[in-house]
Structure formats: structure tokens, C-alpha cells
Amino acid sequence: MFHKSHPQWYPARQSLRLDPKGKSVKDEDVLQNLPVGTTATLYFRDLGAQISWVTVFLTEYAGPLLIYLLFYFRVPFIYGPKYDFTTSKHWVVHLACICHSFHYIKRLLETIFVHRFSHGTMPLRNIFKNCSYYWGFAAWMAYYINHPLYTPPGYGEDQVQIALIIFLFCQIGNFSIHIALRNLRPPGSKTRKIPFPTKNPFTWLFLLVSCPNYTYEVGSWIGFTIMTQCLPVGLFTLVGFIQMTIWAKGKHRSYLKEFRDYPPLRSPILPFIL
């Protein structure tokens, strides 16, 4: 009804609230079931231009994949004419490119085939903020890892091999958690359930943390940092860990508030610590 009279404010832009400073009424809420009397006042707020989560994720993940490859292939105007389209003599540089590409291809495929979003859209401005973060860091780390003067890790092949094991282990773990979370929510629904471990050993981390997908994600980037021994990668890992900790704490609080029987031993992101 509101959209018919005000077509410029399509449903995704609308936030209807019982209190001007309160939370938005959920789409599935029925007016008769809300804590109001015979009459009710709803407060409208324009959320601004919206864009789908899928579009945002595809954009922010495709960027780092392509940007990194530009530096890997050393296209002109990056390192100078002498190095145009040359390749690094260090095998760890090629391995790093494979791992980085694998990570973002995995993210793109998960966005298309795995993730089920509880919200269909987000504010359009977020795509600029998110892309600046992912694209900027991708260019920064790629510049140094693929630089002609790049120095391989100090402990040689042993360091790289250990890092690769960490990276692959955490990538498999992250994917396993995403599959487990997907199976909790039927297609087209916004159902929320307590996630529990499945027969997949990688999901057993649910016994200790609320958001093991973030735990595995941070672990992957720690592995990549050890593999490349590159400062920008370490800074990206640190910033990502801080942001994912904020998200994990928020989800943990939400679980505790929504489910009275939520497992009390779980921490948000790091077992027994954080």
C-alpha cells in the first residue's frame, strides 16, 4: 500500500518502526501480533538506494581476483618496461597467485551457489566502501608479492609448505561451515536455527565458537601471510580479524538473545579467548 502511493520508495528502501528510535518491523510480522492497541503509529524511514547482497559480493570478490592477476602478469606501467610481462623466478610467487585466485574463485562460487541471505539488499553506498577495502588491499599486497625485487620467505620451502597446509586446511574448513549454515535455512526462508556440528569433522569447531567460518577465514590469511612473508598481507589479515571479531561478537549476542538453550561454552570467534 505504501509503495503504491509512494513508488519512489520501493519495499527494500522502507523501514517501518513502532518507535522512531526502535528497530524496524520485520517483513514477516503481522500487525495484529505486534505490541500495539486498537490503533498504531508506524514511523517510516528511507534506507536509501539499495543493491542486492549477491551483486555486492560478486563485485567485491571479482575485483581482487582480476587486480592481483594484473600484477602477477606484470602488465605495462606497473614495474617499468624492463619487466613488462615477465615472470618471477621464485616458485612461491606462483603458488601465492594460485592460492589467492583459488580463494576468491571459491568466494564467487559460494556467493552464487551456496549462500542464502537473510536480507535481500544492502545500502548502495556499501559497495563503494567494501570494494575500496578489498580492491585496495589486493593491489597493495599484489604489488609487493609480484615485485621483481621480492624476497622469498626466510625459512625457505619448509615455511611455504607449512603455510600451504594451514591455508588449505582453513579453506576446506571455511567451505564446510558455509555448507552447514546453508543447510540450516530452507530456500526462500529467513529461518534461524542454532548451528551444530555435523558428521564433517571441520564443523566440530561449532562446539567451541559461534562463527567458525570467521575462524577459518582468519586462519587462511594467517597461512597466506606466512607463505608470502609480506607486510601488507599481514596488515590485511589483522584488519580482517578485527572486523570479523566485531561481526562474530554481534552474531554471538544475537544467538544468546534468541535461543535460551544456546550452548554456553561457545566463544564468538576464538575458543576460550574471544
Side-chain angles (χ1 to χ4, degrees):
M1 294 176 61
F2 187 86
H3 177 50
K4 289 183 179 179
S5 58
H6 302 280
Q8 72 273 27
W9 292 317
Y10 46 88
R13 291 187 67 147
Q14 300 175 20
S15 172
L16 299 175
R17 311 177 184 200
L18 296 175
D19 183 272
K21 297 182 180 180
K23 293 184 177 180
S24 300
V25 176
K26 297 179 181 179
D27 292 341
E28 61 269 21
D29 285 340
V30 180
L31 187 60
Q32 289 86 341
N33 298 332
L34 295 175
V36 296
T38 54
T39 60
T41 300
L42 292 175
Y43 297 88
F44 166 75
R45 179 182 178 184
D46 180 16
L47 298 177
Q50 299 288 301
I51 188 171
S52 74
W53 279 79
V54 172
T55 301
V56 173
F57 277 23
L58 292 178
T59 304
E60 67 186 34
Y61 296 156
L65 175 63
L66 298 176
I67 289 171
Y68 194 99
L69 291 176
L70 292 177
F71 287 88
Y72 174 74
F73 289 112
R74 295 177 179 174
V75 297
F77 311 112
I78 295 181
Y79 299 117
K82 179 180 177 181
Y83 299 105
D84 289 352
F85 297 112
T86 58
T87 58
S88 174
K89 62 181 179 180
H90 304 299
W91 69 278
V92 66
V93 172
H94 307 298
L95 178 62
C97 180
I98 293 172
C99 290
H100 188 274
S101 300
F102 173 82
H103 175 75
Y104 281 103
I105 291 173
K106 167 183 166 293
R107 283 194 171 190
L108 290 168
L109 294 176
E110 286 177 337
T111 299
I112 298 172
F113 299 109
V114 177
H115 293 320
R116 289 173 178 165
F117 302 99
S118 57
H119 300 286
T121 63
M122 67 166 68
L124 178 62
R125 62 180 178 274
N126 283 8
I127 195 171
F128 301 103
K129 178 181 65 177
N130 292 12
C131 287
S132 297
Y133 168 72
Y134 282 105
W135 295 20
F137 263 113
W140 191 22
M141 66 176 72
Y143 175 83
Y144 286 102
I145 295 173
N146 297 288
H147 197 283
L149 301 180
Y150 169 77
T151 302
Y155 292 96
E157 291 188 10
D158 291 341
Q159 179 175 336
V160 174
Q161 289 172 1
I162 292 173
L164 178 61
I165 292 172
I166 295 173
F167 177 84
L168 293 176
F169 179 88
C170 291
Q171 286 288 286
I172 296 171
N174 179 265
F175 176 74
S176 299
I177 298 301
H178 286 162
I179 292 296
L181 292 174
R182 178 184 186 274
N183 293 337
L184 284 179
R185 178 174 292 159
S189 75
K190 296 183 179 180
T191 303
R192 284 173 57 87
K193 299 178 183 178
I194 300 176
F196 286 104
T198 66
K199 294 180 180 180
N200 183 343
F202 286 96
T203 67
W204 295 353
L205 196 53
F206 271 125
L207 294 171
L208 301 176
V209 297
S210 295
C211 301
N213 51 321
Y214 295 151
T215 311
Y216 283 124
E217 180 74 10
V218 173
S220 293
W221 285 107
I222 290 175
F224 195 71
T225 302
I226 297 172
M227 178 189 300
T228 59
Q229 199 170 293
C230 183
L231 180 60
V233 181
L235 292 176
F236 178 72
T237 302
L238 177 61
V239 174
F241 172 67
I242 294 172
Q243 180 59 70
M244 283 184 274
T245 298
I246 295 172
W247 290 336
K249 285 184 174 180
K251 290 188 177 183
H252 184 71
R253 286 193 299 268
S254 179
Y255 281 138
L256 291 173
K257 183 178 180 180
E258 186 172 355
F259 304 107
R260 293 183 178 181
D261 57 342
Y262 192 72
L265 293 179
R266 293 187 186 180
S267 301
I269 188 170
L270 295 180
F272 311 115
I273 299 175
L274 188 64

